[in-house]
Amino acid sequence: MKLYWCLAFGVLFAYYTYCPMPDGLAEPMKLRIVFASRQIIKLVGIGAVLSGYTDRISFSRSVIEFEQGLLSLSCSDEPNITFQDEIFDGVRVRVYQPVEKSDKPIAGMVYVHGGGWVVGSVDSYHYQTNYIAARLGIVLVSVDYRLAPEHPFPVPLQDVVKATIWFLQNAKDYNVDPERIAVVGDSAGGNLAAATASLLTFQEKYKQMNLPKLKFQGLIYPCLQSLDFLTPSYQQNKNLFILNQHLMVEFWSWYLTGHLKYVAAMKVNNHTSPQVKDNERKIMGHDQIPTELKKRDYIPPTDFNFGNIGIFTSIQNHLLNPSFAPLMRSIVTGLPSAYIVTAEFDVLRDDGIFYVKKLEDANVPVTWKHYEHGYHGIFSVFKGPIASEVGRQSMDDFLRFCRENL
Ligand SMILES: *[C@@H]1O[C@H](CO)[C@@H](O)[C@H](O)[C@H]1NC(C)=O
Ligand SMILES: *[C@@H]1O[C@H](CO)[C@@H](O)[C@H](O)[C@H]1NC(C)=O
């Protein structure tokens, strides 16, 4: 009996490793193995959900914890860093600190994990945040913000904003120089980091608090807009398993409404009005994306005169709100300087590029790192069993930037 199971597993695994990968993607063999494992886990998941054993969101969360657990197996805790879980103004955080106290105040970082606002945790990012804190010798605050769909917008953002403000105000208790604190996040965490930087800079009630200015915002392949799900990078990477268009739209939808009723409409941009599509062409025109990045699998849009007004009316307040989608802010002059990472094989590539252009146009200093063989998630595979060269590179580049700018 056991033999049959092993055989079945082997056949499935072999079948799934033959998944097509686009040319130029870094280390496709490793990704094939990840893909095959995920497909098998997905089958198990479908079985578990159908039999009522669990629900899709709980199952996905466990899978992420498990995957990240595997990633961290080969990364032991850093000897020079201690960490403990604390509460910052009602928000759960994990604080990493150097064991050896420095006689001078040191730098700090608020880290906001990714996972589509729906999955991921301080635990699943532990090996990463621990590593960053140790390599930089800083105090790092990893925010365990509440997740959608149980807690849609604005709850996750409010948690991150509260924890960040508390850290800025109490930095000295951690031997941190409050003028040297950055906010950093990847993927949905990049959205929350950008929105936090934006709120602290522009919202009247925060301006009146006279908080120290954030040293920089580190946005690692962030998601920044939910008007156009057919940008060149959404089109080009629509079915790439690492993060496909469907899943990204589901994540936005859970964060936006807590449900998935509009996903089909969102995937074809039916969720915005013709008028908004017209305005959006000025801020997120596909002409802003460099031509050499639009060579594969891209069809320029020709029709902008469509959209379901009913859906749009019910969600427009969020869609157009810069705290929800930071690209929606019209004037960005005054924002902290930015370190922005984009990857070629990522539906979110163009969200990052639009933001780079927007900040540059407003004279906000921007360092833009584009990884032409990179994919969504490289920043998490800098070490461990499926580490890739482009992953190591993205982490090293980030650490170098921090050493020079934090
Ligand atoms: C830990 O700190 C000590 C003393 O500062 C240093 O010699 C050692 O290389 C550090 N270890 C790691 C793994 O960074
Ligand atoms: C999008 O809207 C058009 C009408 O404007 C409609 O024909 C089409 O079925 C809609 N598609 C989805 C998936 O909502």
Side-chain angles (χ1 to χ4, degrees):
M1 194 60 194
K2 258 194 194 142
L3 185 69
Y4 285 119
W5 278 110
C6 288
L7 216 62
F9 181 81
V11 168
L12 268 178
F13 200 84
Y15 170 71
Y16 284 130
T17 49
Y18 279 100
C19 111
M21 297 276 171
D23 285 345
L25 183 61
E27 302 184 45
M29 201 53 220
K30 275 184 189 151
L31 289 173
R32 285 204 174 91
I33 292 170
V34 176
F35 175 72
S37 321
R38 281 214 185 149
Q39 289 304 104
I40 292 172
I41 291 171
K42 197 166 150 188
L43 288 181
V44 174
I46 292 172
V49 171
L50 286 181
S51 60
Y53 182 72
T54 180
D55 60 90
R56 183 176 158 208
I57 288 175
S58 315
F59 184 78
S60 309
R61 285 180 186 153
S62 322
V63 170
I64 294 296
E65 298 297 313
F66 176 73
E67 275 189 356
Q68 306 273 72
L70 285 184
L71 282 182
S72 66
L73 272 185
S74 59
C75 318
S76 55
D77 270 345
E78 303 286 339
N80 290 351
I81 286 284
T82 59
F83 60 90
Q84 62 187 40
D85 292 338
E86 296 187 31
I87 306 281
F88 278 12
D89 194 14
V91 179
R92 288 183 303 170
V93 298
R94 182 168 296 170
V95 183
Y96 299 82
Q97 290 175 271
V99 172
E100 221 167 293
K101 290 279 166 276
S102 148
D103 42 10
K104 285 198 305 267
I106 58 176
M109 180 184 293
V110 174
Y111 195 91
V112 194
H113 71 76
W117 305 278
V118 174
V119 300
S121 67
V122 155
D123 279 331
S124 67
Y125 268 67
H126 177 73
Y127 72 100
Q128 214 165 323
T129 41
N130 197 23
Y131 181 84
I132 295 172
R135 292 285 89 77
L136 297 175
I138 60 170
V139 176
L140 186 150
V141 174
S142 181
V143 188
D144 212 8
Y145 58 91
R146 286 168 292 169
L147 299 173
E150 296 91 330
H151 303 286
F153 176 79
V155 176
L157 176 61
Q158 284 167 344
D159 284 356
V160 176
V161 168
K162 269 190 177 181
T164 305
I165 291 178
W166 201 92
F167 188 41
L168 286 167
Q169 289 178 327
N170 295 275
K172 294 209 170 83
D173 296 346
Y174 294 85
N175 195 31
V176 168
D177 176 353
E179 307 285 335
R180 291 176 63 201
I181 295 178
V183 62
V184 178
D186 63 291
S187 198
N191 166 284
L192 296 170
T196 298
S198 175
L199 271 178
L200 296 195
T201 308
F202 298 114
Q203 197 162 83
E204 211 42 56
K205 91 171 162 191
Y206 300 125
K207 278 162 72 176
Q208 282 169 10
M209 294 170 87
N210 282 320
L211 298 164
K213 186 171 176 169
L214 290 165
K215 196 68 199 280
F216 67 84
Q217 44 181 331
L219 313 179
I220 318 288
Y221 33 75
C223 30
L224 300 169
Q225 61 85 26
S226 55
L227 293 183
D228 186 358
F229 291 115
L230 294 169
T231 60
S233 61
Y234 266 108
Q235 292 190 34
Q236 294 169 309
N237 303 294
K238 188 166 193 259
N239 297 314
L240 194 61
F241 84 97
I242 307 160
L243 175 64
N244 59 36
Q245 186 220 27
H246 182 79
L247 183 60
M248 194 59 231
V249 173
E250 285 192 333
F251 281 148
W252 273 109
S253 185
W254 270 314
Y255 184 48
L256 171 71
T257 62
H259 62 67
L260 298 178
K261 282 184 220 152
Y262 303 146
V263 166
M266 289 161 84
K267 282 168 71 178
V268 294
N269 284 347
N270 264 6
H271 65 302
T272 59
S273 66
Q275 158 111 60
V276 159
K277 287 187 177 70
D278 209 43
N279 292 341
E280 156 203 324
R281 284 156 70 189
K282 296 175 197 108
I283 49 169
M284 299 181 335
H286 294 189
D287 54 326
Q288 291 184 40
I289 305 303
T291 316
E292 64 272 19
L293 297 185
K294 291 189 290 201
K295 284 190 184 136
R296 76 188 156 91
D297 306 329
Y298 167 62
I299 300 168
T302 48
D303 180 13
F304 300 90
N305 191 20
F306 65 97
N308 183 322
I309 301 297
I311 294 181
F312 178 64
T313 311
S314 72
I315 56 178
Q316 62 171 332
N317 286 346
H318 284 358
L319 291 185
L320 303 177
N321 181 348
S323 298
F324 178 75
L327 259 167
M328 297 299 109
R329 185 168 299 280
S330 44
I331 296 169
V332 293
T333 309
L335 274 180
S337 58
Y339 180 83
I340 298 181
V341 169
T342 56
E344 174 60 17
F345 298 96
D346 183 0
V347 290
L348 301 175
R349 179 194 72 196
D350 298 346
D351 284 26
I353 298 178
F354 289 136
Y355 212 48
V356 168
K357 308 269 176 209
K358 184 166 199 123
L359 298 184
E360 280 176 351
D361 287 348
N363 293 319
V364 176
V366 185
T367 303
W368 174 28
K369 287 275 177 195
H370 177 67
Y371 296 92
E372 64 173 320
H373 303 291
Y375 46 89
H376 196 78
I378 46 175
F379 199 61
S380 298
V381 291
F382 59 93
K383 214 175 158 188
I386 56 159
S388 68
E389 198 40 51
V390 63
R392 273 189 281 271
Q393 189 67 51
S394 71
M395 180 55 83
D396 287 350
D397 291 343
F398 173 72
L399 294 176
R400 188 172 325 112
F401 177 84
C402 291
R403 285 189 193 105
E404 288 164 9
N405 295 279
L406 187 57

